[in-house]
Amino acid sequence: MPVGARVAEPYLQKITDRVHAYIQPDGGWCLNNAGIVIGDEQVLLIDTAATAKRTFALRDAVASLTDAPVRTVVNTHHHGDHTHGNYVFADTATIIGHELCAPSIRAEGKLLEQLWPTVEWGEIERVVPNETFSERVTRDVDGIVAEVIHIPASHTVSDSVVWLPEQRVLFTGDLIFSGGTPFVLMGSLAGSLAALSALRDFDPSVIVAGHGQVADPSEIDATERYLTWLTQLAAEAHARGLSPLEAAQSADVGEFAQLHNAERLAGNLHRAYAELDGAEPGAPLDLAAAIVDIANYGGGMPECLA
């Protein structure tokens, strides 16, 4: 499938003179965003893309902005839509990720290919971060300070954000889905709510989410409303003895019906139930059972247009 088939073409959005977002509409499954920070002699790239074609398109977009090579790639977390393309930049770039990112990439394996076998993934070579950190690391991109900061288990266990303090631009990875349904199956519901407080503390003026359009801080509030509603729904349904799928099917989604990928609710409830039963944030769950419920709730396996 050509890049942009059945969805709008990816596009660059200028944030400041030397900072751009690379947006892949419509922000659904595996249609993630990337960030580009341009120095005089180097580029810092925030995340890659899911397929070979989409990563090559990202590479070409960077080249349209500057002749400087990509010297650093930051993975905001381990999911393949953000990391499959690492190999395209590995010859020139150091790849940075939280210390749990590399093992999580290895553990994920070819999950996305198995879930969506008809996608033209390309010849992907899995390359894991070769520089890791536990809490934070800072890069100076020829005068632009980029702080890479780990956020404890939230979307996943390997989440990090990239903060540009002078520009007040925050790349949140999948802690925020701008216009999309949050997804906490592989992380923590409680941790995701706590993460939003951490995001507010940066006091950003611009948020580049892991998926969806560039946003302002109100997107933090929108995410919090969903996660708070999810917490209440899970507690009430769990007390009634409903299964996660039954809870999803009986829920009144109200204002959240307008969000992309509503089927994530069923998966989110698996995580919420686990935490109600005492599971630690990020504890492994029966992923296959959750995916089956996601498909059942949504009327079939969700479409991936990568």
Side-chain angles (χ1 to χ4, degrees):
M1 179 188 299
V3 170
R6 298 181 58 197
V7 292
E9 292 286 343
Y11 61 91
L12 288 164
Q13 182 168 342
K14 183 178 180 180
I15 309 298
T16 72
D17 286 342
R18 296 166 63 188
V19 180
H20 292 74
Y22 182 77
I23 307 298
Q24 296 195 96
D26 61 354
W29 293 98
C30 295
L31 293 174
N32 66 299
N33 299 330
I36 304 166
V37 182
I38 302 171
D40 294 332
E41 299 181 357
Q42 61 178 309
V43 172
L44 181 146
L45 182 65
I46 302 163
D47 286 329
T48 60
T51 70
K53 284 185 178 180
R54 285 186 172 274
T55 302
F56 294 144
L58 170 60
R59 181 192 62 185
D60 293 344
V62 174
S64 75
L65 296 171
T66 177
D67 293 331
V70 175
R71 293 297 188 195
T72 307
V73 174
V74 176
N75 290 155
T76 60
H77 61 291
H78 73 273
H79 285 159
D81 49 337
H82 298 258
T83 63
H84 274 180
N86 284 352
Y87 75 99
V88 172
F89 306 97
D91 287 347
T92 63
T94 297
I95 300 171
I96 297 175
H98 182 258
E99 61 190 9
L100 295 177
C101 190
S104 296
I105 290 173
R106 296 188 184 101
E108 181 179 272
K110 295 188 175 183
L111 175 63
L112 296 185
E113 292 95 319
Q114 293 163 355
L115 292 176
W116 290 290
T118 61
V119 170
E120 186 181 331
W121 297 101
E123 296 297 323
I124 295 167
E125 176 188 350
R126 279 168 176 76
V127 172
V128 302
N130 53 19
E131 180 177 329
T132 63
F133 64 97
S134 60
E135 295 184 4
R136 66 172 60 211
V137 66
T138 300
R139 281 289 183 272
D140 184 334
V141 188
D142 300 329
I144 297 181
V145 174
E147 300 177 359
V148 187
I149 301 164
H150 173 56
I151 305 294
S154 40
H155 174 63
T156 71
V157 297
S158 63
D159 295 307
S160 300
V161 299
V162 180
W163 170 235
L164 309 182
E166 182 176 343
Q167 294 75 19
R168 293 181 60 210
V169 177
L170 183 63
F171 293 86
T172 67
D174 287 0
L175 299 180
I176 299 288
F177 287 82
S178 181
T181 302
F183 196 42
V184 302
L185 173 61
M186 298 180 188
S188 169
L189 173 53
S192 292
L193 278 164
L196 298 179
S197 295
L199 299 188
R200 284 195 182 94
D201 288 344
F202 289 107
D203 190 24
S205 60
V206 178
I207 285 178
V208 182
H211 296 250
Q213 297 181 348
V214 173
D216 61 35
S218 67
E219 198 64 38
I220 299 174
D221 299 331
T223 302
E224 185 174 59
R225 286 195 300 274
Y226 176 90
L227 295 177
T228 300
W229 168 79
L230 174 65
T231 301
Q232 295 168 345
L233 170 66
E236 293 169 2
H238 186 272
R240 291 169 55 198
L242 299 182
S243 71
L245 179 58
E246 290 169 338
Q249 290 171 332
S250 64
D252 177 4
V253 297
E255 66 172 299
F256 309 115
Q258 64 186 339
L259 299 178
H260 293 308
N261 305 122
E263 66 277 356
R264 291 177 181 155
L265 173 59
N268 289 338
L269 283 163
H270 273 259
R271 175 57 62 182
Y273 272 38
E275 294 185 354
L276 286 167
D277 290 333
E280 292 294 321
L285 302 184
D286 185 342
L287 189 59
I291 291 171
V292 167
D293 279 357
I294 288 171
N296 285 334
Y297 177 67
M301 189 62 192
E303 191 171 28
C304 174
L305 296 176

